[in-house]
Amino acid sequence: MINIQNIDFTYKKGKKKVYTDFSAHIEAGGIYGLLGRNGTGKSTLLYIICGLLHPQKGACTLDGIDTSARMAETLKDIFLVPEEFELPATSMRRYVEINKPFYPNFSEELLDYCLSAFDLDRTVQLGELSMGMKKKAFISFALATNTRVLLMDEPTNGLDIPSKSQFRKALASAASEERAIVISTHQVKDVEQLLDQFIIIESDGLLVQSSAADITEKFRFDMHDLSYADDNELYSRPSFSGKETISLNTSGEDTPINLDLLFTALIEKPELAKYLNNEK
Amino acid sequence: MGYLLKQQTFVLRSSLSHLLLGTFIFFLCYFVFLSLRFWINKSAIDVRTSDGWGYIALFIYGLTIALAYSMTFTGLETRVKVIGFLMTPCNPIEKYLSRVIIATVTGFVGILLTYFLADGVRMLLDWAIVGKQVHSTIPGFFNALGDFAEGLTDTRDFPATISALALWVYSLTFFILCSSVFRTKAFIKGIGLYNLFVIIGLIIVGTILFLVVGNYDDGDVGDREDFFNATMVAVSVILWLFSALNVWWSYRNFKQSTIL
């Protein structure tokens, strides 16, 4: 579906390269978590995928077509929810009327479902909404477009606690086998239950690309007493009730992924990535 | 394309209405300024005067169309604004054409209507203040336009008229180019550059004419005219080529634009 091949990218004014020979791939049917520290280029990667930024070397393709050309045939399959956006001062009904003709698979039912999940309806005046409410309206529209690729940059920023739960509900209803959803976020707790694929990037490029199934097959995530010691333990950190550990999964038993712990572990001990990248 | 035009007209409705309102106020101020002395004297405006005003109105009309073209890519000043437009599922050429079509309709039709409206308001004021013999400048405007069109069919006036037309078309395409290059204040920046280019162009053409035509001291007047006409046609050909270059360049700029 989406193939990012050996891209180099540098912002014109910046001396530091954001990406050097970076490659990744995104397949339909997955909800991808794009994780990384500040400044590692998560948003940049989303912009490159949808053709809003052009890599100096390499290419990003959707079904073999270079997305940087921004042709209609690729754009109708990609929708981006940027971190910041503007909505016109009009009703949701009018907004939908004007924009839905561009998306051949637009689903009125899904839109109504998502809007109701967010306690909104089509009569709302977009210009009068708070930023959080605007985000909910825009996310509803984005999910209803039914594009094959949906890119979301920090979608839960600005949403209150109930809205985050509503967001998960709406996202789960919009996910399908034909669709890839990529969520770039710092707030992993908001979406970790939904993610089934992970792309973790560091300042020098791709650190890990792995599925949730692969991670749970290789790693165990446990909570132990501080005195606990195990030869299979790869990483641990103290917590209020003992210590959180990542160890090699030798028992074959699946444990829920502690994404926050995994991310911290990969940043602090990048060599752990070798286990996930099948290099060890 | 139809959906895109509808969407973009909706997106640009605020900028376009500001442009048309501004043009209307400008035309009205211009008419009121010219009418002041008649209103003070409580005299009637004669038809010949209003014909003269028509010529000036034609000039202002041409200038304001350039202003409309300088707003071809308006509303794309910030990353937030540009993302929505660039992500709309249409080919770059469709997006480019949609903006040029909107600028063309706004420039040629919208501004003409604001001119008519401003002239109508001025006539109402005339009628209220002077009370008789109210004349419209619109026939004068169309007379001026007719004179220009006549120049294109008249063999004698053709070289000068065609080069004037070429200069105007060049100006319009130049402002489209400026709009694609400058994200803010495209008209102001464009005017500065345009004046620079026109002055340089006039110096070059003027020098050629002076050096060549000026040396026909004892020559036939017909030779001077022939050379002048040939120069005008050559200049207009160059301007047409530069106009095409401006359009191509502005499209290339738009197509390759990113959110940087």
Side-chain angles (χ1 to χ4, degrees), chain B residues 102-144:
Chain B
I102 291 170
T104 304
V105 172
T106 308
F108 282 86
V109 181
I111 290 174
L112 191 64
L113 292 178
T114 62
Y115 162 58
F116 291 170
L117 193 65
D119 193 54
V121 172
R122 195 264 313 161
M123 284 167 70
L124 276 176
L125 290 172
D126 267 3
W127 178 77
I129 295 167
V130 182
K132 56 179 182 179
Q133 295 217 3
V134 176
H135 293 292
S136 169
T137 66
I138 293 170
F141 173 84
F142 282 108
N143 285 344

Side-chain angles (χ1 to χ4, degrees), chain A residues 119-186:
Chain A
D119 298 326
L120 293 169
D121 60 49
R122 292 185 189 220
T123 60
V124 290
Q125 288 295 321
L126 299 173
E128 294 167 6
L129 298 177
S130 67
M131 199 54 220
M133 298 282 273
K134 274 184 189 171
K135 196 153 206 171
K136 290 194 267 186
F138 191 50
I139 287 172
S140 300
F141 181 81
L143 294 172
T145 56
N146 258 326
T147 50
R148 289 170 60 217
V149 181
L150 176 60
L151 309 169
M152 303 174 109
D153 194 5
E154 302 289 355
T156 56
N157 266 9
L159 297 186
D160 56 24
I161 294 166
S163 302
K164 287 177 180 176
S165 154
Q166 292 166 340
F167 168 72
R168 286 191 289 271
K169 187 181 161 194
L171 192 67
S173 67
S176 72
E177 282 304 307
E178 293 79 41
R179 196 171 203 191
I181 300 175
V182 183
I183 300 172
S184 159
T185 185
H186 289 110

Side-chain angles (χ1 to χ4, degrees), chain B:
Chain B
M1 188 71 174
Y3 288 127
L4 186 63
L5 279 171
K6 189 178 168 187
Q7 185 213 44
Q8 287 306 304
T9 310
F10 180 77
V11 169
L12 294 172
R13 66 197 189 288
S14 170
S15 305
L16 298 180
S17 55
H18 286 152
L19 170 69
L20 294 178
L21 182 66
T23 314
F24 170 74
I25 293 169
F26 183 78
F27 270 120
L28 195 61
C29 289
Y30 162 69
F31 286 136
V32 168
F33 175 73
L34 291 182
S35 301
L36 271 179
R37 69 187 171 100
F38 294 99
W39 293 346
I40 290 165
N41 297 330
K42 296 265 181 190
S43 64
I45 299 160
D46 66 39
V47 180
R48 284 174 60 190
T49 310
S50 66
D51 262 7
W53 292 5
Y55 277 93
I56 301 173
L58 181 63
F59 171 76
I60 297 172
Y61 178 56
L63 190 69
T64 44
I65 290 173
L67 176 63
Y69 275 112
S70 74
M71 292 174 70
T72 304
F73 296 105
T74 192
L76 304 175
E77 296 86 2
T78 62
R79 175 181 286 201
V80 172
K81 288 177 175 175
V82 81
I83 285 176
F85 184 51
L86 293 184
M87 286 302 293
T88 304
C90 292
N91 291 331
I93 187 74
E94 291 174 307
K95 291 178 195 170
Y96 177 85
L97 286 177
S98 73
R99 288 299 188 114
V100 172
I101 289 169
I102 291 170
T104 304
V105 172
T106 308
F108 282 86
V109 181
I111 290 174
L112 191 64
L113 292 178
T114 62
Y115 162 58
F116 291 170
L117 193 65
D119 193 54
V121 172
R122 195 264 313 161
M123 284 167 70
L124 276 176
L125 290 172
D126 267 3
W127 178 77
I129 295 167
V130 182
K132 56 179 182 179
Q133 295 217 3
V134 176
H135 293 292
S136 169
T137 66
I138 293 170
F141 173 84
F142 282 108
N143 285 344
L145 208 57
D147 288 348
F148 190 78
E150 225 170 74
L152 288 172
T153 52
D154 185 275
T155 320
R156 191 181 161 85
D157 293 341
F158 179 78
T161 313
I162 195 73
S163 56
L165 182 66
L167 182 63
W168 186 59
V169 171
Y170 168 78
S171 311
L172 299 186
T173 58
F174 180 80
F175 280 100
I176 296 176
L177 175 62
C178 287
S179 181
S180 76
V181 173
F182 305 117
R183 291 195 175 181
T184 56
K185 299 184 177 75
F187 186 69
I188 303 290
K189 291 169 186 171
I191 281 281
L193 279 175
Y194 178 79
N195 286 337
L196 188 71
F197 290 159
V198 168
I199 288 167
I200 291 170
L202 285 176
I203 288 170
I204 293 169
V205 174
T207 307
I208 293 168
L209 285 174
F210 175 77
L211 289 176
V212 180
V213 180
N215 285 339
Y216 280 104
D217 284 342
D218 303 320
D220 191 349
V221 176
D223 288 344
R224 292 189 200 185
E225 276 188 5
D226 286 347
F227 185 79
F228 176 80
N229 290 342
T231 307
M232 287 295 106
V233 171
V235 165
S236 66
V237 169
I238 291 166
L239 287 171
W240 285 111
L241 289 174
F242 272 105
S243 302
L245 181 70
N246 285 344
V247 171
W248 172 79
W249 197 357
S250 63
Y251 173 63
R252 185 178 166 276
N253 267 345
F254 171 71
K255 194 181 171 188
Q256 295 183 349
S257 63
T258 62
I259 54 168
L260 280 177

Side-chain angles (χ1 to χ4, degrees), chain A residues 111-266:
Chain A
L111 176 70
D112 288 331
Y113 177 82
C114 294
L115 285 174
S116 67
F118 283 125
D119 298 326
L120 293 169
D121 60 49
R122 292 185 189 220
T123 60
V124 290
Q125 288 295 321
L126 299 173
E128 294 167 6
L129 298 177
S130 67
M131 199 54 220
M133 298 282 273
K134 274 184 189 171
K135 196 153 206 171
K136 290 194 267 186
F138 191 50
I139 287 172
S140 300
F141 181 81
L143 294 172
T145 56
N146 258 326
T147 50
R148 289 170 60 217
V149 181
L150 176 60
L151 309 169
M152 303 174 109
D153 194 5
E154 302 289 355
T156 56
N157 266 9
L159 297 186
D160 56 24
I161 294 166
S163 302
K164 287 177 180 176
S165 154
Q166 292 166 340
F167 168 72
R168 286 191 289 271
K169 187 181 161 194
L171 192 67
S173 67
S176 72
E177 282 304 307
E178 293 79 41
R179 196 171 203 191
I181 300 175
V182 183
I183 300 172
S184 159
T185 185
H186 289 110
Q187 302 178 24
V188 288
K189 291 279 180 202
D190 294 341
V191 289
E192 68 180 347
Q193 297 157 344
L194 293 169
L195 304 177
D196 50 26
Q197 298 281 340
F198 300 95
I199 297 173
I200 301 174
I201 51 178
E202 248 299 69
S203 50
D204 50 355
L206 182 69
L207 189 59
V208 165
Q209 175 159 14
S210 186
S211 67
D214 203 27
I215 292 170
T216 52
E217 189 191 320
K218 287 172 180 164
F219 291 158
R220 283 185 62 87
F221 298 86
D222 297 295
M223 175 72 80
H224 294 291
D225 291 335
L226 281 171
S227 57
Y228 177 83
D230 182 356
D231 287 346
N232 286 326
E233 186 178 298
L234 299 170
Y235 179 82
S236 69
R237 73 174 177 194
S239 72
F240 287 115
S241 49
K243 67 173 181 180
E244 296 169 306
T245 64
I246 299 176
S247 47
L248 284 174
N249 188 358
T250 49
S251 66
E253 184 192 349
D254 285 355
T255 52
I257 298 173
N258 183 338
L259 197 52
D260 186 47
L261 179 68
L262 177 66
F263 180 71
T264 312
L266 288 168

